[in-house]
Amino acid sequence: MNVPIHEPGRTLGFWYGDERITFERVKRRQGSDKVLIKVHPDCRVVVSAPEGSHDDAVTAAVKQRARWIHEQLRDFRQQQEHITPRRYISGESHYYLGKQHLLKVVVDPDQPQGVKLLRGRLEVSVRAAEADKVKALLNAWYKTRAREVFNRRLDALLPQTLWVTERPPLRILTMQTQWGSCSPQGRITLNPHLVKAPRECIDYVILHELCHLAEHNHSERFYRLMGQVMPRWEKVKSKLDDMVYRYF
């Protein structure tokens, strides 16, 4: 009953030359009998396979794409070499609603501390040039904007989910492994980092949780509901998966 940031699964692997390639095996929804392989930018290899398929058969299918997987991993590792940890200084790129914004840190002991979105840049005013303070102010700003955006999108999407009779309570909570979740009592929780993603990705996560109000498991009925309210949801999910390393 949640949208994981990294989809958990059973870990399998095989040797390709002198490299051990490991992958997460996750359940593919009913009605799909093919093995689907996805290499993510953070170098996770995720394989969706029918629940009844034996691990050996799945591994054999993945081995057939071993060269392609190896090349994808090589390319993503080369990209990661150029990614430096955030230092929260002027000139860095930070995301909001899927768009990149340059960070500008303004140090002024006499001005109120806070964050403003001005002409394509995020301007953070601080009394001293301290990275931890800039980070804290940015996180607080994202959380405030997330609450506004998520509530607005929830209201816009509710008319599509005819099975929802009352507006569910919404909570904003920073999570390390989930974009969103739905409690047995019907409360939806969303990760404020999600506000860095494009609107369609935000809508996907909200609709995912709204579908869980009708179907608590990832059953065939759940996927039918998702297909009704967002026919392209799998492509949107893939887009969110591919960008996750830029949003944290």
Side-chain angles (χ1 to χ4, degrees):
M1 291 169 37
N2 58 66
V3 183
I5 292 173
H6 296 309
E7 190 169 7
R10 187 161 67 256
T11 301
L12 302 172
F14 60 93
W15 287 95
Y16 179 71
D18 58 358
E19 179 184 2
R20 176 73 174 172
I21 294 178
T22 60
F23 62 90
E24 295 176 64
R25 176 185 172 167
V26 299
K27 177 184 174 183
R28 189 157 194 197
R29 65 190 182 94
Q30 296 176 8
S32 301
D33 57 0
K34 294 182 179 180
V35 173
L36 179 66
I37 304 169
K38 177 75 174 179
V39 182
H40 293 275
D42 60 1
C43 295
R44 289 178 304 117
V45 181
V46 179
V47 177
S48 302
E51 188 174 19
S53 301
H54 193 278
D55 283 348
D56 290 344
V58 174
T59 300
V62 177
K63 279 184 177 180
Q64 294 179 7
R65 302 295 307 281
R67 181 177 178 180
W68 174 81
I69 295 170
H70 174 76
E71 291 173 348
Q72 293 287 300
L73 290 172
R74 179 197 61 202
D75 292 344
F76 284 135
R77 284 167 185 155
Q78 289 176 350
Q79 291 177 23
Q80 287 183 348
E81 291 177 358
H82 302 288
I83 299 174
T84 57
R86 294 192 186 279
R87 298 168 59 194
Y88 295 93
I89 59 175
S90 293
E92 283 186 343
S93 290
H94 291 256
Y95 283 81
Y96 176 63
L97 294 179
K99 295 182 179 180
Q100 284 183 282
H101 299 278
L102 285 180
L103 177 64
K104 182 179 180 181
V105 179
V106 178
V107 181
D108 190 337
D110 300 323
Q111 292 295 321
Q113 299 188 113
V115 181
K116 295 179 181 178
L117 182 61
L118 300 169
R119 296 181 296 277
R121 72 172 185 266
L122 281 166
E123 187 172 294
V124 182
S125 298
V126 290
R127 297 191 180 96
E130 299 173 353
D132 288 345
K133 184 61 179 179
V134 175
K135 179 180 180 180
L137 288 169
L138 268 177
N139 285 342
W141 182 84
Y142 276 123
K143 197 166 187 176
T144 298
R145 298 305 286 260
R147 184 171 287 105
E148 297 170 358
V149 172
F150 297 165
N151 274 290
R152 187 164 63 245
R153 294 312 303 157
L154 177 60
D155 289 337
L157 295 168
L158 277 174
Q160 297 178 227
T161 54
L162 301 179
W163 58 88
V164 181
T165 57
E166 295 182 2
R167 189 185 194 275
L170 178 62
R171 179 176 64 161
I172 311 299
L173 179 67
T174 301
M175 298 175 282
Q176 297 302 314
T177 60
Q178 296 171 220
W179 288 121
S181 65
C182 179
S183 73
Q185 294 74 35
R187 180 178 66 183
I188 292 176
T189 300
L190 297 176
N191 193 327
H193 287 295
L194 182 62
V195 81
K196 301 173 186 179
R199 194 189 74 178
E200 63 179 350
C201 296
I202 296 171
D203 288 357
Y204 156 70
V205 175
I206 293 175
L207 286 169
H208 184 110
E209 302 309 338
L210 289 173
C211 286
H212 274 314
L213 294 177
E215 187 63 35
H216 295 296
N217 300 308
H218 291 125
S219 64
E220 186 61 28
R221 182 185 177 220
F222 170 85
Y223 289 115
R224 282 201 304 269
L225 289 175
M226 278 300 303
Q228 290 171 13
V229 295
M230 180 175 272
R232 294 177 56 253
W233 71 267
E234 288 173 302
K235 291 184 178 180
V236 177
K237 177 184 181 301
S238 181
K239 182 178 182 179
L240 181 60
D241 290 342
D242 288 346
M243 294 293 289
V244 64
Y245 71 105
R246 299 189 185 187
Y247 299 151
F248 281 83

